[in-house]
Amino acid sequence: MNLLIVHAHHEPQSFVTSMKDLTVRHFEAAGWSVQVSDLYAMDFNPVASPADFGARQNPDYLTYALEQRHNWNGKTLAPDIVAEVEKVQWADLIIFSFPVYWYSLPAILKGWVDRVFISGVCYGGTRIYDKGGLKGKRAMLATSLGGQTHMFGPGAIHGELDTLLKPIHQGMLGYVGLTVLPPFVAYHVPYLKAPEREAIMAQYQAHLNQIDSLQPLRMPSLADYDATMHPLKPVG
Amino acid sequence: MNLLIVHAHHEPQSFVTSMKDLTVRHFEAAGWSVQVSDLYAMDFNPVASPADFGARQNPDYLTYALEQRHNWNGKTLAPDIVAEVEKVQWADLIIFSFPVYWYSLPAILKGWVDRVFISGVCYGGTRIYDKGGLKGKRAMLATSLGGQTHMFGPGAIHGELDTLLKPIHQGMLGYVGLTVLPPFVAYHVPYLKAPEREAIMAQYQAHLNQIDSLQPLRMPSLADYDATMHPLKPVG
């Protein structure tokens, strides 16, 4: 089995980086092949731009998704994108390792999604959700937050974390057909002392130990919608 | 009155770029001062990194928010960030002009938030939401989507758009104290012909005409929470 870790942290001594190192050790010990895309170390370019395409289908007007498809087929897509797409194709499991910035991905990781989840391979037309291009592969977030657990949930100041992560879980990962496992979230990490951090790291190890028995998040199924994506059953 | 438009599109002929141009004309005609941060044209760097700080409070371990505060106070923050922070301070209204990528901001714009909404000026400690550092200013999204209107809402395939935009509206804009106006969303834009696009542009003009009477989105109020952010009233 093959694991791709997409890691985005600018501090090599960070807790998230330690979680990433634990992830590597855990899966290598279990006999998996592991690749890490360490986006800061790679100086990964997160900006989707015309420079991503060696041969434009339409040189006069950039429609990014159409050019992704055209340049992938013509083997003229930027080499840094191709390398990441090939890692995604190789992987059985993708773990996203990052600190939550503004209830979303750090820009360097958001740009990895923007540039690497290419139309024609990862999705396209009605090839989304349970018909998505990455169907059969699993994905999971392994992340940290500045906030405390009591700041999230019904009635809590920031609301439910599941809601805040929905654009990532459903809009990015589920959308391309990935089976999305429950995330591991380390709360309040910048403000914790060593023993508390070690306790969270032990919880993360337990999360990894049971990864095959985690219940995936529920995603839309195309079977519930017609060819134009109207719901087959009335909303009620 | 002062308007800052933060614009992120790689195609100068795009619909979103035309919306941005209309926004400039509308507010200038009304006597406002307008500045545009055209992130692609500026080749804006979206990656939060140690290079953002001229003088580190802690050279051995990067805590990004702490260094933002330290370097802002010491006038050693990267000049490209300072220029944007000063535009934010100058603005009475900030309009974010972008196409939705993966139910979120394009990376170049996400990185503007990551680097420019600095701790100590825009938020800090319990200075969030209605106590946030940008209190008294307004913000609005002016955006486009590939999907159609029937793909969003209760029971629709992608769920409710309000939910998908919550990390932006509440987690980024509301969090720093901005009064968040209802977004303008142009649906299905890449697939529309000229008359349909013109009709949407007229709807956007109407949205701008009534901007002062738009009801802001509801955000959490610190009055409902104690000093440690526990809810004062039981959840029920």
Short mmCIF file of all heavy atoms in Angstrom, two decimals, chain A residues 57-115:
data_model
loop_
_atom_site.label_atom_id
_atom_site.label_comp_id
_atom_site.label_asym_id
_atom_site.label_seq_id
_atom_site.Cartn_x
_atom_site.Cartn_y
_atom_site.Cartn_z
N GLN A 57 -4.83 25.46 -25.41
CA GLN A 57 -5.95 25.17 -26.30
C GLN A 57 -6.54 26.47 -26.81
O GLN A 57 -6.91 26.58 -27.97
CB GLN A 57 -7.00 24.38 -25.50
CG GLN A 57 -8.24 24.00 -26.27
CD GLN A 57 -9.13 23.07 -25.45
OE1 GLN A 57 -9.08 23.05 -24.22
NE2 GLN A 57 -9.94 22.28 -26.13
N ASN A 58 -6.64 27.47 -25.93
CA ASN A 58 -7.14 28.79 -26.31
C ASN A 58 -6.17 29.85 -25.78
O ASN A 58 -6.21 30.22 -24.61
CB ASN A 58 -8.54 29.01 -25.73
CG ASN A 58 -9.10 30.36 -26.14
OD1 ASN A 58 -8.40 31.21 -26.70
ND2 ASN A 58 -10.39 30.58 -25.85
N PRO A 59 -5.26 30.32 -26.66
CA PRO A 59 -4.24 31.28 -26.20
C PRO A 59 -4.83 32.64 -25.82
O PRO A 59 -4.16 33.42 -25.14
CB PRO A 59 -3.33 31.45 -27.42
CG PRO A 59 -3.73 30.39 -28.40
CD PRO A 59 -5.13 30.00 -28.09
N ASP A 60 -6.09 32.90 -26.24
CA ASP A 60 -6.67 34.24 -26.05
C ASP A 60 -7.46 34.38 -24.75
O ASP A 60 -7.76 35.50 -24.33
CB ASP A 60 -7.60 34.58 -27.23
CG ASP A 60 -6.84 34.60 -28.54
OD1 ASP A 60 -5.67 35.04 -28.53
OD2 ASP A 60 -7.39 34.16 -29.56
N TYR A 61 -7.85 33.25 -24.15
CA TYR A 61 -8.70 33.33 -22.96
C TYR A 61 -8.42 32.09 -22.11
O TYR A 61 -8.61 30.96 -22.58
CB TYR A 61 -10.19 33.39 -23.37
CG TYR A 61 -11.12 33.68 -22.23
CD1 TYR A 61 -11.63 34.97 -22.03
CD2 TYR A 61 -11.48 32.68 -21.31
CE1 TYR A 61 -12.49 35.24 -20.97
CE2 TYR A 61 -12.32 32.95 -20.26
CZ TYR A 61 -12.83 34.23 -20.09
OH TYR A 61 -13.66 34.51 -19.04
N LEU A 62 -8.00 32.32 -20.88
CA LEU A 62 -7.62 31.19 -20.01
C LEU A 62 -8.82 30.66 -19.23
O LEU A 62 -9.36 31.33 -18.36
CB LEU A 62 -6.54 31.64 -19.02
CG LEU A 62 -6.10 30.59 -17.99
CD1 LEU A 62 -5.59 29.32 -18.67
CD2 LEU A 62 -5.02 31.16 -17.07
N THR A 63 -9.24 29.44 -19.58
CA THR A 63 -10.18 28.70 -18.72
C THR A 63 -9.35 27.59 -18.09
O THR A 63 -8.97 26.62 -18.75
CB THR A 63 -11.36 28.13 -19.54
OG1 THR A 63 -11.99 29.20 -20.24
CG2 THR A 63 -12.37 27.45 -18.62
N TYR A 64 -9.05 27.75 -16.81
CA TYR A 64 -8.01 26.95 -16.16
C TYR A 64 -8.30 25.44 -16.27
O TYR A 64 -7.42 24.66 -16.64
CB TYR A 64 -7.85 27.39 -14.70
CG TYR A 64 -6.59 26.90 -14.06
CD1 TYR A 64 -5.36 27.48 -14.34
CD2 TYR A 64 -6.61 25.82 -13.18
CE1 TYR A 64 -4.18 27.02 -13.77
CE2 TYR A 64 -5.45 25.35 -12.60
CZ TYR A 64 -4.23 25.95 -12.90
OH TYR A 64 -3.08 25.48 -12.33
N ALA A 65 -9.54 25.03 -15.97
CA ALA A 65 -9.87 23.60 -15.97
C ALA A 65 -9.73 22.99 -17.37
O ALA A 65 -9.26 21.86 -17.52
CB ALA A 65 -11.27 23.37 -15.41
N LEU A 66 -10.16 23.74 -18.38
CA LEU A 66 -10.05 23.22 -19.76
C LEU A 66 -8.59 23.05 -20.17
O LEU A 66 -8.22 22.07 -20.83
CB LEU A 66 -10.77 24.15 -20.75
CG LEU A 66 -12.28 24.29 -20.57
CD1 LEU A 66 -12.87 25.21 -21.65
CD2 LEU A 66 -12.97 22.92 -20.62
N GLU A 67 -7.76 23.99 -19.76
CA GLU A 67 -6.33 23.89 -20.10
C GLU A 67 -5.64 22.79 -19.29
O GLU A 67 -4.69 22.16 -19.78
CB GLU A 67 -5.63 25.23 -19.89
CG GLU A 67 -6.15 26.36 -20.79
CD GLU A 67 -5.86 26.18 -22.29
OE1 GLU A 67 -5.08 25.29 -22.66
OE2 GLU A 67 -6.44 26.96 -23.08
N GLN A 68 -6.10 22.53 -18.07
CA GLN A 68 -5.56 21.39 -17.31
C GLN A 68 -5.74 20.11 -18.10
O GLN A 68 -4.82 19.31 -18.27
CB GLN A 68 -6.29 21.26 -15.96
CG GLN A 68 -5.91 22.30 -14.92
CD GLN A 68 -6.68 22.10 -13.63
OE1 GLN A 68 -7.87 21.84 -13.64
NE2 GLN A 68 -5.99 22.24 -12.50
N ARG A 69 -6.96 19.91 -18.56
CA ARG A 69 -7.30 18.71 -19.30
C ARG A 69 -6.49 18.62 -20.60
O ARG A 69 -5.88 17.59 -20.91
CB ARG A 69 -8.80 18.79 -19.61
CG ARG A 69 -9.44 17.58 -20.17
CD ARG A 69 -10.91 17.88 -20.43
NE ARG A 69 -11.68 17.90 -19.20
CZ ARG A 69 -12.61 16.97 -18.89
NH1 ARG A 69 -12.86 15.99 -19.72
NH2 ARG A 69 -13.26 17.04 -17.77
N HIS A 70 -6.45 19.73 -21.34
CA HIS A 70 -5.75 19.78 -22.63
C HIS A 70 -4.25 19.53 -22.45
O HIS A 70 -3.63 18.76 -23.20
CB HIS A 70 -5.99 21.15 -23.28
CG HIS A 70 -5.29 21.36 -24.58
ND1 HIS A 70 -5.70 20.75 -25.75
CD2 HIS A 70 -4.20 22.11 -24.91
CE1 HIS A 70 -4.90 21.11 -26.73
NE2 HIS A 70 -3.98 21.93 -26.26
N ASN A 71 -3.66 20.15 -21.44
CA ASN A 71 -2.21 20.05 -21.26
C ASN A 71 -1.80 18.73 -20.62
O ASN A 71 -0.70 18.24 -20.86
CB ASN A 71 -1.69 21.25 -20.47
CG ASN A 71 -1.54 22.49 -21.34
OD1 ASN A 71 -0.47 22.77 -21.84
ND2 ASN A 71 -2.64 23.23 -21.55
N TRP A 72 -2.67 18.14 -19.80
CA TRP A 72 -2.40 16.79 -19.29
C TRP A 72 -2.37 15.80 -20.46
O TRP A 72 -1.42 15.01 -20.60
CB TRP A 72 -3.44 16.38 -18.25
CG TRP A 72 -3.30 14.96 -17.82
CD1 TRP A 72 -4.03 13.89 -18.26
CD2 TRP A 72 -2.35 14.43 -16.87
NE1 TRP A 72 -3.61 12.73 -17.64
CE2 TRP A 72 -2.59 13.04 -16.78
CE3 TRP A 72 -1.35 15.01 -16.11
CZ2 TRP A 72 -1.83 12.21 -15.94
CZ3 TRP A 72 -0.59 14.18 -15.27
CH2 TRP A 72 -0.84 12.80 -15.19
N ASN A 73 -3.39 15.87 -21.31
CA ASN A 73 -3.47 14.95 -22.45
C ASN A 73 -2.28 15.15 -23.40
O ASN A 73 -1.75 14.18 -23.94
CB ASN A 73 -4.79 15.15 -23.20
CG ASN A 73 -5.97 14.67 -22.38
OD1 ASN A 73 -5.82 13.82 -21.50
ND2 ASN A 73 -7.15 15.22 -22.64
N GLY A 74 -1.87 16.40 -23.58
CA GLY A 74 -0.78 16.70 -24.51
C GLY A 74 0.61 16.64 -23.89
O GLY A 74 1.60 16.92 -24.57
N LYS A 75 0.65 16.27 -22.59
CA LYS A 75 1.93 16.18 -21.87
C LYS A 75 2.69 17.51 -21.87
O LYS A 75 3.93 17.54 -21.97
CB LYS A 75 2.81 15.05 -22.43
CG LYS A 75 2.12 13.67 -22.38
CD LYS A 75 3.09 12.54 -22.63
CE LYS A 75 2.38 11.19 -22.74
NZ LYS A 75 1.51 10.88 -21.58
N THR A 76 1.95 18.61 -21.75
CA THR A 76 2.55 19.94 -21.72
C THR A 76 2.21 20.68 -20.41
O THR A 76 2.41 21.88 -20.31
CB THR A 76 2.07 20.78 -22.92
OG1 THR A 76 0.64 20.70 -23.02
CG2 THR A 76 2.68 20.27 -24.22
N LEU A 77 1.70 19.95 -19.44
CA LEU A 77 1.42 20.54 -18.13
C LEU A 77 2.75 20.77 -17.40
O LEU A 77 3.70 20.00 -17.58
CB LEU A 77 0.53 19.58 -17.34
CG LEU A 77 -0.17 20.06 -16.08
CD1 LEU A 77 -1.11 21.24 -16.37
CD2 LEU A 77 -0.96 18.91 -15.46
N ALA A 78 2.81 21.82 -16.56
CA ALA A 78 4.04 22.15 -15.83
C ALA A 78 4.56 20.92 -15.08
O ALA A 78 3.78 20.20 -14.44
CB ALA A 78 3.77 23.29 -14.86
N PRO A 79 5.86 20.65 -15.16
CA PRO A 79 6.42 19.43 -14.56
C PRO A 79 6.17 19.31 -13.05
O PRO A 79 6.00 18.20 -12.54
CB PRO A 79 7.93 19.55 -14.84
CG PRO A 79 8.05 20.55 -15.95
CD PRO A 79 6.86 21.44 -15.89
N ASP A 80 6.13 20.46 -12.33
CA ASP A 80 5.90 20.35 -10.88
C ASP A 80 4.49 19.86 -10.59
O ASP A 80 4.26 19.16 -9.59
CB ASP A 80 6.21 21.66 -10.15
CG ASP A 80 5.30 22.81 -10.53
OD1 ASP A 80 4.80 22.85 -11.67
OD2 ASP A 80 5.08 23.69 -9.67
N ILE A 81 3.53 20.19 -11.46
CA ILE A 81 2.16 19.68 -11.29
C ILE A 81 2.11 18.20 -11.66
O ILE A 81 1.55 17.39 -10.91
CB ILE A 81 1.17 20.48 -12.15
CG1 ILE A 81 1.17 21.97 -11.77
CG2 ILE A 81 -0.24 19.89 -12.03
CD1 ILE A 81 0.27 22.83 -12.65
N VAL A 82 2.72 17.83 -12.77
CA VAL A 82 2.71 16.43 -13.22
C VAL A 82 3.28 15.52 -12.13
O VAL A 82 2.71 14.46 -11.83
CB VAL A 82 3.51 16.27 -14.53
CG1 VAL A 82 3.67 14.79 -14.90
CG2 VAL A 82 2.82 17.02 -15.67
N ALA A 83 4.37 15.95 -11.51
CA ALA A 83 4.99 15.13 -10.46
C ALA A 83 4.02 14.86 -9.32
O ALA A 83 3.95 13.74 -8.79
CB ALA A 83 6.25 15.83 -9.93
N GLU A 84 3.23 15.89 -8.95
CA GLU A 84 2.27 15.71 -7.85
C GLU A 84 1.08 14.87 -8.29
O GLU A 84 0.60 14.03 -7.51
CB GLU A 84 1.81 17.08 -7.34
CG GLU A 84 2.92 17.92 -6.70
CD GLU A 84 3.64 17.22 -5.58
OE1 GLU A 84 2.99 16.80 -4.60
OE2 GLU A 84 4.87 17.06 -5.67
N VAL A 85 0.59 15.06 -9.51
CA VAL A 85 -0.52 14.25 -10.01
C VAL A 85 -0.11 12.77 -10.01
O VAL A 85 -0.89 11.90 -9.61
CB VAL A 85 -0.96 14.69 -11.43
CG1 VAL A 85 -2.01 13.73 -11.99
CG2 VAL A 85 -1.48 16.12 -11.42
N GLU A 86 1.13 12.51 -10.41
CA GLU A 86 1.58 11.11 -10.44
C GLU A 86 1.68 10.51 -9.03
O GLU A 86 1.38 9.33 -8.83
CB GLU A 86 2.93 11.02 -11.18
CG GLU A 86 2.73 11.26 -12.69
CD GLU A 86 4.03 11.30 -13.48
OE1 GLU A 86 5.12 11.41 -12.86
OE2 GLU A 86 3.95 11.24 -14.73
N LYS A 87 2.05 11.33 -8.05
CA LYS A 87 2.04 10.84 -6.66
C LYS A 87 0.61 10.53 -6.21
O LYS A 87 0.37 9.54 -5.51
CB LYS A 87 2.63 11.90 -5.72
CG LYS A 87 4.14 12.09 -5.86
CD LYS A 87 4.60 13.19 -4.89
CE LYS A 87 5.96 13.74 -5.26
NZ LYS A 87 6.31 14.96 -4.47
N VAL A 88 -0.33 11.39 -6.59
CA VAL A 88 -1.74 11.16 -6.24
C VAL A 88 -2.23 9.85 -6.88
O VAL A 88 -2.91 9.04 -6.23
CB VAL A 88 -2.61 12.35 -6.69
CG1 VAL A 88 -4.10 12.01 -6.63
CG2 VAL A 88 -2.31 13.59 -5.83
N GLN A 89 -1.86 9.64 -8.13
CA GLN A 89 -2.29 8.41 -8.81
C GLN A 89 -1.69 7.16 -8.17
O GLN A 89 -2.33 6.11 -8.12
CB GLN A 89 -1.90 8.47 -10.30
CG GLN A 89 -2.67 9.54 -11.06
CD GLN A 89 -2.32 9.59 -12.54
OE1 GLN A 89 -1.15 9.57 -12.89
NE2 GLN A 89 -3.32 9.68 -13.39
N TRP A 90 -0.46 7.31 -7.66
CA TRP A 90 0.26 6.21 -7.01
C TRP A 90 -0.33 5.85 -5.64
O TRP A 90 -0.33 4.70 -5.21
CB TRP A 90 1.72 6.65 -6.88
CG TRP A 90 2.63 5.85 -5.99
CD1 TRP A 90 3.33 4.73 -6.32
CD2 TRP A 90 2.95 6.15 -4.63
NE1 TRP A 90 4.08 4.32 -5.24
CE2 TRP A 90 3.86 5.18 -4.19
CE3 TRP A 90 2.55 7.17 -3.74
CZ2 TRP A 90 4.38 5.17 -2.90
CZ3 TRP A 90 3.06 7.17 -2.45
CH2 TRP A 90 3.98 6.17 -2.05
N ALA A 91 -0.88 6.87 -4.96
CA ALA A 91 -1.26 6.72 -3.55
C ALA A 91 -2.56 5.93 -3.37
O ALA A 91 -3.50 6.07 -4.15
CB ALA A 91 -1.42 8.09 -2.92
N ASP A 92 -2.60 5.11 -2.31
CA ASP A 92 -3.85 4.52 -1.84
C ASP A 92 -4.48 5.39 -0.76
O ASP A 92 -5.70 5.36 -0.56
CB ASP A 92 -3.58 3.12 -1.26
CG ASP A 92 -3.00 2.19 -2.31
OD1 ASP A 92 -3.70 1.90 -3.30
OD2 ASP A 92 -1.83 1.79 -2.15
N LEU A 93 -3.65 6.12 -0.04
CA LEU A 93 -4.11 6.99 1.05
C LEU A 93 -3.32 8.30 0.95
O LEU A 93 -2.11 8.28 0.73
CB LEU A 93 -3.83 6.31 2.40
CG LEU A 93 -3.99 7.14 3.68
CD1 LEU A 93 -5.44 7.59 3.89
CD2 LEU A 93 -3.53 6.31 4.91
N ILE A 94 -4.03 9.43 1.09
CA ILE A 94 -3.38 10.74 1.11
C ILE A 94 -3.68 11.39 2.46
O ILE A 94 -4.85 11.54 2.84
CB ILE A 94 -3.90 11.65 -0.03
CG1 ILE A 94 -3.78 10.95 -1.39
CG2 ILE A 94 -3.14 12.98 -0.04
CD1 ILE A 94 -4.43 11.73 -2.53
N ILE A 95 -2.64 11.75 3.19
CA ILE A 95 -2.82 12.45 4.46
C ILE A 95 -2.33 13.88 4.29
O ILE A 95 -1.21 14.12 3.82
CB ILE A 95 -2.08 11.73 5.61
CG1 ILE A 95 -2.76 10.39 5.88
CG2 ILE A 95 -2.05 12.60 6.88
CD1 ILE A 95 -2.17 9.58 7.03
N PHE A 96 -3.22 14.83 4.62
CA PHE A 96 -2.89 16.25 4.53
C PHE A 96 -2.46 16.72 5.91
O PHE A 96 -3.24 16.68 6.86
CB PHE A 96 -4.10 17.04 4.02
CG PHE A 96 -4.47 16.71 2.60
CD1 PHE A 96 -5.32 15.64 2.31
CD2 PHE A 96 -3.93 17.44 1.55
CE1 PHE A 96 -5.63 15.32 1.00
CE2 PHE A 96 -4.24 17.13 0.23
CZ PHE A 96 -5.09 16.06 -0.04
N SER A 97 -1.22 17.18 6.01
CA SER A 97 -0.58 17.53 7.28
C SER A 97 -0.35 19.03 7.30
O SER A 97 0.50 19.54 6.57
CB SER A 97 0.74 16.75 7.35
OG SER A 97 1.60 17.27 8.34
N PHE A 98 -1.10 19.76 8.14
CA PHE A 98 -1.03 21.23 8.09
C PHE A 98 -1.67 21.83 9.33
O PHE A 98 -2.52 21.20 9.96
CB PHE A 98 -1.79 21.74 6.85
CG PHE A 98 -3.27 21.45 6.89
CD1 PHE A 98 -4.18 22.42 7.27
CD2 PHE A 98 -3.74 20.18 6.57
CE1 PHE A 98 -5.55 22.14 7.33
CE2 PHE A 98 -5.11 19.89 6.63
CZ PHE A 98 -6.00 20.87 7.00
N PRO A 99 -1.30 23.04 9.69
CA PRO A 99 -2.03 23.78 10.71
C PRO A 99 -3.20 24.51 10.05
O PRO A 99 -3.06 25.03 8.94
CB PRO A 99 -1.00 24.80 11.21
CG PRO A 99 -0.11 25.05 10.04
CD PRO A 99 -0.12 23.78 9.20
N VAL A 100 -4.36 24.51 10.69
CA VAL A 100 -5.49 25.29 10.17
C VAL A 100 -5.13 26.78 10.22
O VAL A 100 -4.71 27.29 11.25
CB VAL A 100 -6.77 25.01 10.99
CG1 VAL A 100 -7.87 26.01 10.63
CG2 VAL A 100 -7.26 23.59 10.75
N TYR A 101 -5.21 27.44 9.07
CA TYR A 101 -5.05 28.91 8.99
C TYR A 101 -6.41 29.48 8.59
O TYR A 101 -6.90 29.19 7.51
CB TYR A 101 -4.08 29.27 7.86
CG TYR A 101 -2.61 29.19 8.14
CD1 TYR A 101 -2.11 28.61 9.29
CD2 TYR A 101 -1.71 29.69 7.20
CE1 TYR A 101 -0.74 28.54 9.49
CE2 TYR A 101 -0.35 29.62 7.40
CZ TYR A 101 0.13 29.04 8.55
OH TYR A 101 1.48 28.96 8.72
N TRP A 102 -6.99 30.27 9.42
CA TRP A 102 -8.24 30.95 9.05
C TRP A 102 -9.30 29.94 8.62
O TRP A 102 -9.94 30.08 7.61
CB TRP A 102 -7.97 32.00 7.95
CG TRP A 102 -7.06 33.08 8.44
CD1 TRP A 102 -5.72 33.19 8.20
CD2 TRP A 102 -7.41 34.18 9.27
NE1 TRP A 102 -5.23 34.28 8.84
CE2 TRP A 102 -6.24 34.91 9.50
CE3 TRP A 102 -8.61 34.62 9.86
CZ2 TRP A 102 -6.22 36.07 10.30
CZ3 TRP A 102 -8.60 35.75 10.63
CH2 TRP A 102 -7.43 36.46 10.85
N TYR A 103 -9.46 28.87 9.41
CA TYR A 103 -10.49 27.87 9.18
C TYR A 103 -10.39 27.27 7.79
O TYR A 103 -11.40 26.84 7.21
CB TYR A 103 -11.89 28.45 9.48
CG TYR A 103 -11.90 28.91 10.90
CD1 TYR A 103 -11.76 30.25 11.22
CD2 TYR A 103 -11.93 27.98 11.93
CE1 TYR A 103 -11.67 30.65 12.54
CE2 TYR A 103 -11.85 28.36 13.25
CZ TYR A 103 -11.72 29.70 13.54
OH TYR A 103 -11.62 30.08 14.86
N SER A 104 -9.18 27.20 7.28
CA SER A 104 -8.98 26.65 5.95
C SER A 104 -7.53 26.18 5.83
O SER A 104 -6.80 26.12 6.82
CB SER A 104 -9.32 27.72 4.91
OG SER A 104 -9.26 27.19 3.60
N LEU A 105 -7.13 25.86 4.62
CA LEU A 105 -5.76 25.40 4.36
C LEU A 105 -4.81 26.59 4.28
O LEU A 105 -5.18 27.65 3.78
CB LEU A 105 -5.72 24.66 3.02
CG LEU A 105 -6.68 23.49 2.83
CD1 LEU A 105 -6.58 22.96 1.41
CD2 LEU A 105 -6.39 22.38 3.83
N PRO A 106 -3.56 26.45 4.73
CA PRO A 106 -2.54 27.46 4.40
C PRO A 106 -2.47 27.61 2.87
O PRO A 106 -2.67 26.64 2.15
CB PRO A 106 -1.24 26.85 4.94
CG PRO A 106 -1.65 25.79 5.92
CD PRO A 106 -2.99 25.29 5.44
N ALA A 107 -2.18 28.83 2.42
CA ALA A 107 -2.23 29.10 0.98
C ALA A 107 -1.36 28.13 0.17
O ALA A 107 -1.74 27.71 -0.93
CB ALA A 107 -1.81 30.54 0.69
N ILE A 108 -0.20 27.75 0.69
CA ILE A 108 0.69 26.87 -0.08
C ILE A 108 0.03 25.51 -0.33
O ILE A 108 0.26 24.89 -1.38
CB ILE A 108 2.08 26.73 0.61
CG1 ILE A 108 3.14 26.23 -0.37
CG2 ILE A 108 1.99 25.86 1.85
CD1 ILE A 108 4.58 26.32 0.19
N LEU A 109 -0.82 25.07 0.61
CA LEU A 109 -1.54 23.80 0.44
C LEU A 109 -2.81 24.00 -0.38
O LEU A 109 -3.16 23.15 -1.21
CB LEU A 109 -1.85 23.20 1.82
CG LEU A 109 -2.59 21.88 1.86
CD1 LEU A 109 -1.92 20.81 1.00
CD2 LEU A 109 -2.73 21.38 3.30
N LYS A 110 -3.50 25.13 -0.18
CA LYS A 110 -4.67 25.42 -1.03
C LYS A 110 -4.25 25.44 -2.50
O LYS A 110 -4.97 24.92 -3.38
CB LYS A 110 -5.32 26.75 -0.63
CG LYS A 110 -6.51 27.14 -1.50
CD LYS A 110 -7.55 26.04 -1.55
CE LYS A 110 -8.85 26.41 -2.22
NZ LYS A 110 -8.77 27.03 -3.50
N GLY A 111 -3.08 26.00 -2.77
CA GLY A 111 -2.60 26.06 -4.14
C GLY A 111 -2.21 24.70 -4.70
O GLY A 111 -2.27 24.47 -5.91
N TRP A 112 -1.80 23.79 -3.81
CA TRP A 112 -1.55 22.41 -4.25
C TRP A 112 -2.85 21.81 -4.76
O TRP A 112 -2.89 21.17 -5.82
CB TRP A 112 -0.97 21.59 -3.08
CG TRP A 112 -0.53 20.20 -3.42
CD1 TRP A 112 0.72 19.79 -3.79
CD2 TRP A 112 -1.36 19.02 -3.41
NE1 TRP A 112 0.72 18.43 -4.02
CE2 TRP A 112 -0.54 17.93 -3.79
CE3 TRP A 112 -2.69 18.78 -3.12
CZ2 TRP A 112 -1.02 16.63 -3.88
CZ3 TRP A 112 -3.18 17.49 -3.22
CH2 TRP A 112 -2.35 16.42 -3.60
N VAL A 113 -3.95 22.02 -4.05
CA VAL A 113 -5.26 21.53 -4.50
C VAL A 113 -5.65 22.22 -5.81
O VAL A 113 -6.04 21.56 -6.78
CB VAL A 113 -6.34 21.77 -3.42
CG1 VAL A 113 -7.73 21.39 -3.95
CG2 VAL A 113 -6.02 20.99 -2.15
N ASP A 114 -5.52 23.55 -5.85
CA ASP A 114 -5.91 24.30 -7.06
C ASP A 114 -5.18 23.78 -8.29
O ASP A 114 -5.77 23.68 -9.37
CB ASP A 114 -5.55 25.80 -6.91
CG ASP A 114 -6.38 26.53 -5.88
OD1 ASP A 114 -7.41 25.99 -5.42
OD2 ASP A 114 -6.01 27.68 -5.54
N ARG A 115 -3.91 23.47 -8.17
CA ARG A 115 -3.09 23.12 -9.33
C ARG A 115 -3.03 21.62 -9.61
O ARG A 115 -2.87 21.21 -10.75
CB ARG A 115 -1.67 23.68 -9.16
CG ARG A 115 -1.63 25.21 -9.12
CD ARG A 115 -0.22 25.73 -8.90
NE ARG A 115 0.60 25.61 -10.08
CZ ARG A 115 1.85 25.14 -10.08
NH1 ARG A 115 2.42 24.71 -8.95
NH2 ARG A 115 2.55 25.09 -11.20
#
